[in-house]
Amino acid sequence: MDNKVSLTVQNRLIIFGLLLSTVLIIAIAIFAIFNIQKKLNEGYQNFGQVLSKTLAIESVEITKNLPENKIKETLKTHSDSILKSHNDIVFIEFRDKNGDIIYSGKNELAATNKTNIRVTSPLTAIGDTNPIGSVTVGMSGSIISQISSTTRASLLFVFSVAWLVFAFVILINTYLITRELRILQNGVKKISTGEFGYKIQTKDVSSEIEELFNAFNDMSTRLHIYEEQNIDRIMLERNKFESVLMSIANGVVVCDDNDNVVLVNNHAQTLLEVSENQLLNTKIQEYIDTSGNECFKDKIEQFKDTPLEIIEKKPIEFNINVDTRVIKSIISPMFTRNKDYVGYIIVLIDMTKEAEMEQMRAGFISNVSHELRTPVTVLRSYIDTLYNYGNEFDYETQKEFIGTINQEIIRLNRMVNDILDFSRLEANTELEKEPNNIEHLIEECAKQVDVLTKEHNLKITIEKQSTPPEFLFNYDSIERALTNYLSNAIKYSPENGEIKISLNYSPDKNEVEVAVTDQGCGISLEHQKKIFDRFYRVENNTHTIKGTGLGLNLVKTTIEKHHYGRVFVHSEPGQGSTFGFILPTVVKEECEVS
Ligand code: ADP
């Protein structure tokens, strides 16, 4: 736009210059023509006077001694010869001293009859002061007008040529100046569009302009260097920012103030199950989850309806479900340093585990209450029966009753212990460890569950590959861990089944492996992965036995957290299971309770 204005001014100046020069040249030409015309007229006038005077003198001379009748003839002959020789003389008239015409001759060859100049001179004899008559010469002035028009035409031609040359020079000059300006303008345009480093050619330009061009090229080079440095810095900043965003553990989706997605990090792509290309530059409201719902739409509308100062302090939080995942989404506004609103950020947090835990916790509470109520109800009814009607039963029946009461108390005790152990083991207090004999511990545990195995007609065998030395461990907690494995094996074993406890010592690895193998219902691979999780229970048609889901987690905590060992499970549905743990016999000093 500025260019247009400057060009217009330039054009105006050129036009103004040309007009001014035209007016000046015309004025000078008119002035010159006028002056020449004036001088010509004056000269012509003088010529007329000289002519009439000469004619007067000649006429007096040639007629002075002639008789009266010859005078007219002589004057006629003389004037005719003059008239013939000058086309410009229209007539010659002789008068006597009374003013009467002696002779009047007209020029037949005159270019025009129009008389512009009349010059009269007295006819006076030499030495006499009294005139004897007068002679009048009439001149057309056609020579003057011819000379004038020729002069005018010549001058006009000369001035027109001069004007044309002048105009040509101005235009050429203007073109040459504007050519350089155009080159510079082109260069500036390139710079303004970001083409830093663009250079303009300095050849064929004037020295002053060359200096200007050199300065321009210098500026362009500097801008280029600055841009490169700047780009490097910006790229570095951007890369830093991107890597932070990309490696952040939560999903991040950034939208501009038109709801267009401008950034999606890797985790968000995984959580929303879309690729970056599918989401970038689309409206986030149009995202459809795996159930076919536009899960962000309503919440984004709510976000937009809420004033920014409120939403800034209290971002909108809601859960969405994508596939089996529960994703907590938080929408918060995005501002520049100057507090200008530029869009919003959606942070996505995978809450699947937490949601599962919550579900499990709820299941645990109901299971625990159920599990506690069952033995208590059984105990109450048995004790009540014995207390009120004990005398009516024989010794064997009473013994059987007390046996059941004992079993229920063991179950109750185990459950209460599990819950107590759970809170104890979860705390970071270190368990006291002493050198103990693991073989002895295994035998003790087998004895403890003897009543239960007999009840279910199960056979327990202990298989020992090699005898391990005594090593440091907390006897009670390892005993409870093994009892847990055993009671599970008993719970899930079929009648008349066999349970095998194996002990394996690897002196080269300094490890002791204890495993319990049953012939029970087994566990699918999917459940095996989660079976050691807190509160996790397999609940299906096969696993109908109630429990708290704490037992295996307690084993894991005891072995891994407090004894730096490992737990494992090998199982196949319908084929039985092997649950085991590996304990280090030599504990490195740096291993501490974390
Ligand atoms: P619970 O006290 O509820 O039995 P556990 O943590 O001891 O809790 O066990 C978790 C789940 O593992 C149980 O719900 C059960 O389905 C499964 N489980 C444990 N041991 C066995 C086993 N030996 N055979 C089959 N399933 C088992």
Side-chain angles (χ1 to χ4, degrees), residues 189-413:
K189 244 189 219 163
K190 298 264 182 195
I191 296 284
S192 70
T193 52
E195 212 178 297
F196 300 140
Y198 176 79
K199 290 220 166 86
I200 46 182
Q201 295 296 328
T202 51
K203 63 173 185 192
D204 296 339
V205 291
S206 57
S207 56
E208 300 92 335
I209 298 290
E210 193 181 337
E211 234 173 85
L212 178 67
F213 280 18
N214 283 336
F216 174 90
N217 287 343
D218 195 32
M219 174 196 78
S220 179
T221 314
R222 277 164 196 275
L223 277 174
H224 185 58
I225 296 169
Y226 178 72
E227 184 201 24
E228 275 187 348
Q229 287 172 347
N230 230 20
I231 283 177
D232 283 351
R233 198 173 51 78
I234 291 168
M235 286 304 285
L236 194 81
E237 288 295 317
R238 196 193 143 94
N239 286 348
K240 258 201 296 188
F241 171 71
E242 258 192 19
S243 35
V244 167
L245 261 188
M246 286 303 168
S247 44
I248 225 163
N250 293 325
V252 178
V253 178
V254 181
C255 300
D256 63 16
D257 56 352
N258 292 321
D259 304 317
N260 288 323
V261 177
V262 289
L263 197 143
V264 201
N265 75 350
N266 296 340
H267 204 66
Q269 291 170 44
T270 316
L271 290 178
L272 299 177
E273 295 185 6
V274 281
S275 70
E276 192 179 22
N277 289 345
Q278 282 174 294
L279 216 57
L280 275 184
N281 297 319
T282 61
K283 304 252 181 249
I284 190 66
Q285 288 97 319
E286 288 162 11
Y287 168 79
I288 293 172
D289 63 20
T290 42
S291 324
N293 299 323
E294 290 178 327
C295 55
F296 289 114
K297 201 175 174 193
D298 293 348
K299 295 292 172 181
I300 300 275
E301 262 163 36
Q302 187 190 336
F303 168 81
K304 286 187 169 174
D305 291 343
T306 319
L308 281 176
E309 52 279 9
I310 295 176
I311 211 89
E312 196 186 351
K313 286 183 194 129
K314 200 171 175 293
I316 291 185
E317 290 188 16
F318 56 100
N319 281 355
I320 59 167
N321 294 301
V322 178
D323 211 354
T324 50
R325 284 202 185 90
V326 180
I327 303 166
K328 182 176 176 181
S329 313
I330 305 165
I331 313 180
S332 33
M334 196 166 61
F335 299 99
T336 61
R337 275 173 198 252
N338 304 333
K339 279 275 162 199
D340 296 327
Y341 173 77
V342 283
Y344 49 90
I345 302 178
I346 305 175
V347 176
L348 304 166
I349 305 164
D350 191 351
M351 299 294 285
T352 318
K353 266 235 166 252
E354 282 76 359
E356 274 175 13
M357 279 295 269
E358 197 42 54
Q359 218 177 347
M360 283 197 256
R361 219 187 294 268
F364 167 74
I365 306 262
S366 90
N367 279 353
V368 165
S369 13
H370 177 83
E371 289 287 295
L372 288 176
R373 197 183 298 135
T374 314
V376 169
T377 317
V378 175
L379 281 174
R380 263 194 67 189
S381 59
Y382 273 80
I383 291 168
D384 194 49
T385 313
L386 275 179
Y387 182 75
N388 291 314
Y389 313 104
N391 297 340
E392 293 171 23
F393 299 117
D394 56 24
Y395 175 71
E396 280 305 313
T397 317
Q398 282 179 5
K399 208 177 150 193
E400 197 187 312
F401 270 37
I402 289 171
T404 310
I405 289 169
N406 189 35
Q407 264 180 42
E408 289 304 315
I409 285 174
I410 290 172
R411 243 177 92 180
L412 204 58
N413 185 40

Side-chain angles (χ1 to χ4, degrees), residues 45-112:
Q45 197 88 25
N46 286 342
F47 165 72
Q49 269 169 5
V50 169
L51 185 72
S52 73
K53 269 186 186 150
T54 311
L55 190 61
I57 291 166
E58 276 178 0
S59 303
V60 172
E61 274 305 303
I62 57 172
T63 56
K64 72 176 171 188
N65 296 320
L66 289 180
E68 195 83 4
N69 58 347
K70 286 278 183 187
I71 287 174
K72 187 179 172 183
E73 189 130 340
T74 307
L75 287 176
K76 180 181 179 293
T77 316
H78 187 56
S79 59
D80 280 356
S81 71
I82 290 169
L83 284 171
K84 271 181 196 154
S85 62
H86 290 280
N87 287 350
D88 210 41
I89 302 170
V90 181
F91 68 89
I92 297 175
E93 207 173 68
F94 294 95
R95 288 177 190 265
D96 61 16
K97 59 181 172 198
N98 299 321
D100 297 329
I101 293 172
I102 305 168
Y103 173 73
S104 176
K106 276 199 169 184
N107 192 351
E108 300 300 325
L109 302 166
T112 169

Side-chain angles (χ1 to χ4, degrees), residues 504-513 566 582-588:
N504 199 356
Y505 170 55
S506 321
D508 48 331
K509 287 190 196 163
N510 289 323
E511 279 178 356
V512 163
E513 182 187 301
R566 310 189 292 281
I582 295 165
L583 288 174
T585 52
V586 178
V587 178
K588 289 187 196 124

Side-chain angles (χ1 to χ4, degrees), residues 367 371 414 418 484-485 487-493 516 518 520-523 531-533 535-540 543-554 571 576-579:
N367 279 353
E371 289 287 295
R414 207 195 110 205
D418 270 3
N484 246 311
Y485 275 169
S487 51
N488 275 346
I490 295 165
K491 260 200 259 178
Y492 297 102
S493 281
V516 178
D518 63 56
C521 55
I523 308 150
I531 208 128
F532 286 97
D533 288 357
F535 309 129
Y536 192 84
R537 303 200 70 254
V538 182
E539 285 183 90
N540 56 32
H543 295 252
T544 45
I545 303 162
K546 283 264 172 198
T548 56
L550 273 182
L552 291 181
N553 183 258
L554 284 175
S571 181
S577 320
T578 300
F579 281 88

